[in-house]
Every structure is written in structure tokens, then in C-alpha cells.
């Protein structure tokens, strides 16, 4: 009995980051609120565009509208995170996102809601998210010890899944029975609560010799990333997987084609269910050293599951495949986050986080455009399964081009060992300063 319980306990999430860091607990809780609120708007916004236009291309165009702000402000946000207090960036952008949700609410309350404000707000959300994510991601690397990075990534992903399961599932019902406005109202309340929580975070000032945000600083971060094949592999595989196999924008049309309009909220939530199951059994990932294998295996599994979701005509099999896809995506994400936080120097962490924003955000935006265009040409289901097949093929080709990703080992990699020493030295200085005070 004790042996069986021990094996079961080894699968449970590792709570070491939660116990060790007050700021991690605050970020985790704030993120849960934000993800729930954002998921409500994530469902309501494309549904409102569909209701106004009945066009898959118009829904997919959201990706094109969001792309440029995400690229520009994501890169600038990375440089900003290395130059100013990261807490202030997080608070300001959360407040801005709440104001944009207010604009969506006001538009939805009009007798005849307008289409163009939806695209304007989508672009604004993309810009603020680009500014914020580097600060959030680089703060995590600062407040969580080196050896707990995988556990922290698993807990963060678990938090996201909880919010994204509840948000889409409830949002689908809210929009269906109450309209778009109540979903936007919940989003506003969520961001207001998040701002209050973020204000309680400890200050996270930059290094004393930090430079002001500049193109030269951004270029320095890009040169570092380009010189590290392991990092390039994580970015490239995620971009390819999301570009070819991110069909979320055409889920409303897939639900119609399967004669299961009731399943739309479940389609958006199914991937999160798969990720949640993996997250609840993620304890084993804390003992993994070859994180590149997680990146590759998870991305390939994601592509296979998306291909199957497009192939099957039974809605329950489609939902099951989407759940498996979510598990694969989370597995790949754990590997990526661990490699990033274990290898990138603190002084470059913000700028590299800006590049990471592009790797995991630009792909889905372009993927929405690809899915919308392909669905218009070939039909909804063909657009989905062909993208999954292309994802698997691209992952294989990238493994051949960047083999160091497959051989990455956190206990022997030079960048990982250097970052660990840097973090331990910083913690020793903090302890010494606290003792002096």
C-alpha cells in the first residue's frame, strides 16, 4: 500500500516553488484570475465577429491584426523588462487590458455593435500583451530557484489550464444565453482584481548598469539567441507547431459542420483539459534532465492529435483528440520554459523573453490566418488535418537541422551551469544584505 501511494505521490505536481516564494504565490493567483477573465473575452470576441460577418476569413483576420503590434511591442517589452522595474510594467499593462475590455463592453451595449472597434481592441490587447509577457516571464526566472524551474512551469501551466477550462466553458454558455456584454463585464472585473494583486508584488528593479531600451539592446539579445542552437530549436519548433496546427479561429465553423453547435465551448476547453490532466500528473517532469526531448515529443504529439481531430467526423472523438493535443502542447511548453529559465543570463532575460513572446504568440496569430484562409479554400476539416500533418513534418525537419536540442542536458550544458551559478551568487548577496540590515 505504501509503495503504491509513493508512486502515486511522485506523479503529483511539485509544490516546491509555491512553498519557497511569496511572489510566486502572488503571481500564480493573479494569473489564475487573469486567465479566467481573458478566456471569457477570447470566446466572446471571435464569436461576435462571426455573428456580425458570418465569415471564417473575418475571424481569421484577427490574427493578422494582432501580429504587427505583438512583434513590435513584444521586442520592445523585452528591452523594457531589462531596464525598468518589472512589477510596474505588469501593473500598468494589466490596467490597460482592463480598459480595453471596457471598450468591448461599451461597443457590445450599442443597439448595433460595430465591427471595426473589435479589430482595434484586438490590436491593442496584442500590444499590451507584448509589453507585459517579457516582464512576467523574466520575473519568474528571478524569483524561482534554478532547480525548481520545471516545477514552476508545470504549476503555471496548471493554473492556466484551470482558467482556460472554466473560462471558455462558461463563456460559451454566457454568450449563448446572455450575449457578449456579460462576458466582457466579467473580463473587466477580473483585470481590476489582478491589478490589486500585482501591486503587492515585491519590487523588481533592473541591474544598476542596465541600459535604456534601444534597438541596439534588442539586437544584442537577438545575437545571443542566434548563437545558441538549443534556444533556436525551442523557438523554431513552437513557431512551426502553432503556425501549421492552431485551428482555434475556425472552431465555430467546425462545430457547425459537425452539427454540434453546443460543443463550441468544449472545443476551446478540450485542449486545456488534456493539459490539466498532464499538469496534475507532472511530478515526474521535475526529475527530467533532457528537456529538449520534452519540446520535440510534445510538439509532435500536438500535431498528430490535431491531424486526427480534423480527420474524425464524430464530435466526441474530435474533443478527445483536442484533449490529447493540449497534453502534447503542455509537455512541449514545460521543456521550453525550463530551457529558457535555466540557460539565459539574468541581464538578458527580459530581451530574450521578448523573443519568446514572438515564438509562442506569433505562431498562433499566423496560425489563425492560415486556418481561416485554408478553410475558405479546402473546407474546415481539411484545413485542420492538413495542418497537423505539416506540423509533424516540420518538427522532424527541425530536429535534423538543430540536433543539439535533442541532446540538451541541464546537468552538463554550459549555459545551464553558468546560469545556476549566477543565480546562487545573487541569492548569496541577498542573504548577506539582509543579514547586514
Amino acid at each position: 500500500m505504501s509503495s503504491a501511494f509513493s508512486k502515486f505521490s511522485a506523479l503529483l505536481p511539485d509544490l516546491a516553488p509555491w512553498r519557497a516564494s511569496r511572489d510566486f504565490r502572488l503571481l500564480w493567483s493573479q494569473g489564475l484570475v487573469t486567465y479566467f477573465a481573458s478566456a471569457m473575452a477570447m470566446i466572446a470576441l471571435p464569436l461576435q465577429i462571426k455573428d456580425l460577418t458570418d465569415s471564417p476569413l473575418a475571424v481569421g483576420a484577427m490574427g493578422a491584426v494582432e501580429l504587427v503590434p505583438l512583434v513590435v511591442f513584444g521586442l520592445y517589452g523585452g528591452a523594457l523588462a531589462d531596464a525598468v522595474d518589472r512589477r510596474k510594467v505588469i501593473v500598468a499593462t494589466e490596467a490597460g487590458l482592463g480598459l480595453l475590455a471596457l471598450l468591448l463592453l461599451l461597443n457590445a451595449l450599442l443597439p448595433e455593435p460595430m465591427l471595426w472597434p473589435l479589430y482595434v481592441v484586438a490590436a491593442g490587447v496584442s500590444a499590451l500583451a507584448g509589453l507585459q509577457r517579457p516582464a512576467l516571464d523574466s520575473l519568474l526566472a528571478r524569483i524561482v530557484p534554478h532547480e525548481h524551474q520545471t516545477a514552476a512551469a508545470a504549476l503555471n501551466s496548471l493554473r492556466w489550464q484551470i482558467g482556460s477550462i472554466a473560462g471558455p466553458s462558461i463563456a460559451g454558455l454566457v454568450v449563448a444565453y446572455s450575449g457578449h456584454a456579460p462576458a466582457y463585464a466579467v473580463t473587466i472585473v477580473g483585470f481590476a482584481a489582478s491589478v490589486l494583486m500585482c501591486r503587492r508584488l515585491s519590487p523588481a528593479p533592473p541591474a544598476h548598469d542596465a541600459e535604456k531600451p534601444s534597438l541596439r539592446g534588442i539586437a544584442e539579445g537577438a545575437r545571443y539567441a542566434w548563437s545558441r542552437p538549443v534556444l533556436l530549436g525551442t523557438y523554431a519548433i513552437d513557431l512551426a507547431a502553432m503556425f501549421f496546427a492552431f485551428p482555434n479561429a475556425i472552431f465555430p465553423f467546425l462545430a457547425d459542420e459537425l452539427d454540434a453547435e453546443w460543443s463550441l465551448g468544449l472545443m476551446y476547453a478540450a485542449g486545456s483539459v488534456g493539459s490539466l490532466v498532464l499538469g496534475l500528473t507532472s511530478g515526474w517532469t521535475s526529475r527530467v534532465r533532457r528537456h529538449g526531448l520534452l519540446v520535440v515529443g510534445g510538439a509532435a504529439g500536438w500535431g498528430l492529435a490535431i491531424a486526427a481531430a480534423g480527420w474524425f467526423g464524430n464530435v466526441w472523438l474530435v474533443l478527445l483528440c483536442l484533449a490529447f493535443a493540449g497534453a502534447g502542447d503542455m509537455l512541449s511548453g514545460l521543456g521550453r520554459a525550463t530551457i529558457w529559465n535555466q540557460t539565459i543570463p539574468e541581464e538578458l532575460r527580459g530581451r530574450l523573453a521578448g523573443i519568446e513572446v514572438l515564438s509562442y504568440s506569433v505562431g498562433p496569430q499566423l496560425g489563425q490566418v492560415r486556418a481561416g484562409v485554408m478553410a475558405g479554400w479546402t473546407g474546415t476539416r481539411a484545413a485542420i488535418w492538413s495542418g497537423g500533418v505539416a506540423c509533424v513534418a516540420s518538427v522532424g525537419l527541425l530536429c535534423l537541422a538543430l540536433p543539439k536540442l535533442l541532446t540538451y542536458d541541464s546537468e552538463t550544458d554550459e549555459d545551464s551551469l553558468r546560469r545556476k551559478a549566477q543565480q546562487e551568487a545573487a541569492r548569496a548577496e541577498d542573504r548577506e544584505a539582509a543579514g547586514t540590515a
Side-chain angles (χ1 to χ4, degrees), residues 274-429:
S275 296
L276 178 62
V277 172
L278 184 65
L280 291 173
T281 57
S282 63
W284 62 274
T285 61
S286 295
R287 298 183 291 277
V288 171
R289 294 166 43 183
R290 303 280 296 279
H291 301 104
L293 294 177
L294 298 184
V295 175
V296 172
W302 158 269
L304 285 172
I306 292 296
W311 185 262
F312 289 123
N314 181 285
V315 65
W316 294 108
L317 288 176
V318 170
L319 292 172
L320 181 63
C321 291
L322 293 176
F324 276 109
D329 184 44
M330 178 175 175
L331 191 63
S332 184
L334 292 183
R336 292 194 308 272
T338 303
I339 290 173
W340 295 340
N341 288 336
Q342 283 188 344
T343 63
I344 298 171
E346 171 66 19
E347 63 273 13
L348 292 172
R349 189 67 193 91
R351 279 163 283 181
L352 270 293
I355 296 174
E356 291 153 21
V357 167
L358 303 188
S359 79
Y360 61 67
S361 299
V362 171
Q365 307 308 325
L366 292 176
Q368 290 188 84
V369 177
R370 185 211 67 85
V373 172
M374 286 294 294
W377 289 348
T378 66
T380 302
R381 290 172 60 190
I384 294 173
W385 71 254
S386 62
V389 172
C391 167
V392 176
S394 64
V395 169
L397 291 174
L398 287 168
C399 286
L400 294 175
L402 298 165
K404 286 190 175 182
L405 178 62
L406 291 175
T407 60
Y408 172 84
D409 187 322
S410 62
E411 294 191 7
T412 59
D413 181 80
E414 292 183 1
D415 289 329
S416 176
L417 295 174
R418 188 179 302 113
R419 175 70 183 107
K420 182 177 182 179
Q422 183 185 49
Q423 189 180 56
E424 290 175 349
R427 290 183 177 278
E429 290 179 3

Side-chain angles (χ1 to χ4, degrees), residues 259-277:
D259 195 25
E261 291 82 359
W262 53 268
S263 69
L264 178 59
L266 296 178
M267 286 184 182
Y268 283 109
S272 297
V273 171
S275 296
L276 178 62
V277 172

Side-chain angles (χ1 to χ4, degrees), residues 39-40 43-44 47 166-179 183 261-262 264-266 268:
M40 296 289 288
I43 299 299
L47 271 177
S169 300
I170 297 174
L173 296 174
V174 169
V175 174
Y177 292 102
S178 302
E261 291 82 359
W262 53 268
L264 178 59
L266 296 178
Y268 283 109

Side-chain angles (χ1 to χ4, degrees), residues 213-238:
S214 66
L215 290 176
R216 186 170 66 85
I218 294 173
E220 181 184 358
R223 283 194 299 270
Y224 179 86
W226 185 259
S227 69
R228 298 301 193 273
V230 174
L231 291 179
L232 280 181
T234 64
Y235 303 147
I237 283 180
D238 191 39

